Amino acid sequence: MIGVGKIKQYSNVLDKPLSRGKQEVSLSAFAFLFSELVQYNQTQVDNIAELERRLEDAGYAVGARVLELLCHRDKGNRRETRLLGILSFVHSTVWKVLFGKVADSLEKGTEHEDEYMISEKELLVNRFISIPKDMGTFNCGAFVAGIVRGVLDGAGFPAVVTAHFVPMEGQQRPRTTILIKFAEEVLRREARFS
Amino acid sequence: MGSTACFIIVSRNDIPIYEAEVGSAIKKEEATHQHQFILHAALDIVQDLAWTTSAMFLKAVDRFNDLVVSVYVTAGHTRLMLLHDSRNEDGIRSFFQEVHELYIKILLNPLYLPGSRITSSHFDTKVRALARKYL
């Protein structure tokens, strides 16, 4: 019979429950969409720096939303107020939800107090992308750097976040490192509280 | 005799993105301005208090005559502030949690700019319905 077993139709998104939704998204669909995003931005800019900035801004919007959603859904409404807390939140929870696994490593920078690095052997967004020689140090991981910056900025830990390739001996593809450099006020606040 | 209640949502940049008088008492014109003034004055206290705890519900942070300001801070430092004269803490907590869920749903819209005013009339209707239910 027509109409029997029909799922409840919601008239407005505000009435729909905030469910977990499908846990999996097609990798090829995402890779295709991401490559189109990069290509579209390539036509809009004149130089590499501008392209990286646009990818970062796209990621920033994602980061701001991911922060709110995950704190509500997975963390039972607890906010992060400490530096290490928010870093391990990004390294574990955010990475798990976005990429299906926790990040490979989280390190503190040795030269500067305000630098931290999240490393990944093969960043999902870079998996199907190769950079031509004439693009120099451009890294599509700028999108993920934008996501991390969105999460940190939203939580009240402003930082400059960039993505870099780090060549590894014995491996053909370089490792990708997300470098996080926190602003002065974050360190001052941390010092006040510890 | 109804209850007075003024509810605002303030974004991370201290800009109000949503306002509503949700009490059941009859409102005087000056009262609205006074309520908004009291809530804005409480923002400084909320700022300091938010960094001392990882809870979202901050209960009563400030007082004015017999009115109390209760605040709920989200992960993105968006503050849901309620000026009220009742003492029903559990009702207020449930109200904040439900509005928080509504706010997340608005935020997830990729075309919504975080920090801009919430103009959805459906959101307004739902918030007022929640206020009638819990406050």
Side-chain angles (χ1 to χ4, degrees):
Chain A
M1 278 182 285
I2 301 173
V4 168
K6 200 164 71 148
I7 47 171
K8 186 152 182 234
Q9 299 292 332
Y10 291 100
S11 58
N12 189 297
V13 71
L14 289 177
D15 295 320
K16 277 200 200 140
L18 254 185
S19 65
R20 300 196 73 87
K22 284 206 275 269
Q23 300 288 332
E24 290 179 350
V25 172
S26 156
L27 176 63
S28 29
F30 170 73
F32 183 59
L33 181 64
F34 186 70
S35 86
E36 283 302 317
L37 180 75
V38 176
Q39 283 175 56
Y40 170 75
N41 282 311
Q42 258 181 314
T43 64
Q44 307 270 314
V45 303
D46 310 316
N47 56 61
I48 307 295
E50 187 66 25
L51 181 58
E52 273 202 350
R53 207 183 57 80
R54 277 180 170 244
L55 284 181
E56 249 210 55
D57 288 343
Y60 186 87
V62 175
R65 289 159 172 86
V66 153
L67 169 70
E68 284 271 3
L69 183 65
L70 290 186
C71 273
H72 173 77
R73 210 167 65 178
D74 294 343
K75 300 257 299 170
N77 284 331
R78 315 282 318 164
R79 287 178 297 114
E80 289 296 338
T81 48
R82 306 304 302 275
L83 192 73
L84 286 180
I86 193 73
L87 279 175
S88 68
F89 173 70
V90 170
H91 168 268
S92 318
T93 317
V94 176
W95 235 255
K96 190 110 201 356
V97 166
L98 292 180
F99 305 119
K101 57 186 263 299
V102 302
D104 284 345
S105 70
L106 169 65
E107 293 149 7
K108 188 164 151 51
T110 40
E111 296 128 45
H112 304 278
E113 270 306 305
D114 52 357
E115 280 181 4
Y116 289 81
M117 291 159 305
I118 296 181
S119 300
E120 186 83 14
K121 187 156 160 261
E122 182 74 63
L123 203 59
L124 190 78
V125 300
N126 281 338
R127 201 161 133 187
F128 301 114
I129 295 183
S130 56
I131 316 285
K133 283 281 186 313
D134 60 354
M135 289 193 106
T137 53
F138 174 64
N139 192 331
C140 285
F143 182 68
V144 177
I147 296 179
V148 175
R149 189 166 68 92
V151 173
L152 293 176
D153 222 21
F157 296 86
V160 174
V161 188
T162 47
H164 304 275
F165 281 124
V166 175
M168 303 277 291
E169 336 67 78
Q171 257 150 46
Q172 205 193 24
R173 306 257 298 172
R175 201 169 66 149
T176 315
T177 297
I178 310 283
L179 181 67
I180 303 167
K181 196 173 166 68
F182 286 104
E184 264 292 318
E185 56 170 288
V186 177
L187 299 169
R188 271 188 272 129
R189 195 177 54 217
E190 271 302 297
R192 255 208 334 263
F193 282 132
S194 58
Chain B
M1 182 62 198
S3 64
T4 338
C6 178
F7 175 65
I8 62 171
I9 302 181
V10 185
S11 76
R12 209 151 55 85
N13 312 316
D14 295 334
I15 301 171
I17 59 179
Y18 176 77
E19 288 146 5
E21 287 275 345
V22 296
S24 45
I26 319 293
K27 260 72 66 189
K28 303 189 292 288
E29 264 316 303
E30 323 81 73
T32 320
H33 298 301
Q34 195 187 46
H35 291 167
Q36 289 179 353
F37 183 73
I38 300 167
L39 283 167
H40 279 82
L43 278 176
D44 281 332
I45 306 176
V46 177
Q47 187 114 331
D48 295 328
L49 208 56
W51 287 106
T52 62
T53 170
S54 72
M56 287 195 175
F57 182 47
L58 295 183
K59 301 186 193 172
V61 304
D62 194 20
R63 260 178 194 78
F64 179 80
N65 294 347
D66 60 339
L67 296 171
V68 178
V69 179
S70 296
V71 178
Y72 182 96
V73 185
T74 70
H77 282 266
T78 305
R79 284 144 290 186
L80 314 180
M81 305 178 75
L82 184 70
L83 179 71
H84 58 93
D85 54 6
S86 66
R87 293 286 176 271
N88 177 11
E89 202 181 279
D90 284 328
I92 292 170
R93 186 199 300 262
S94 317
F95 173 70
F96 276 143
Q97 278 169 351
E98 300 259 349
V99 177
H100 184 204
E101 274 215 27
L102 286 178
Y103 172 70
I104 291 181
K105 288 174 198 169
I106 293 272
L107 184 68
L108 284 178
N109 180 358
L111 300 176
Y112 169 75
L113 180 67
S116 63
R117 291 200 70 87
I118 298 178
T119 51
S120 162
S121 61
H122 199 79
F123 179 82
D124 187 50
T125 318
K126 293 206 76 137
V127 168
R128 288 180 193 277
L130 284 172
R132 276 195 302 275
K133 181 174 165 197
Y134 287 113
L135 298 176

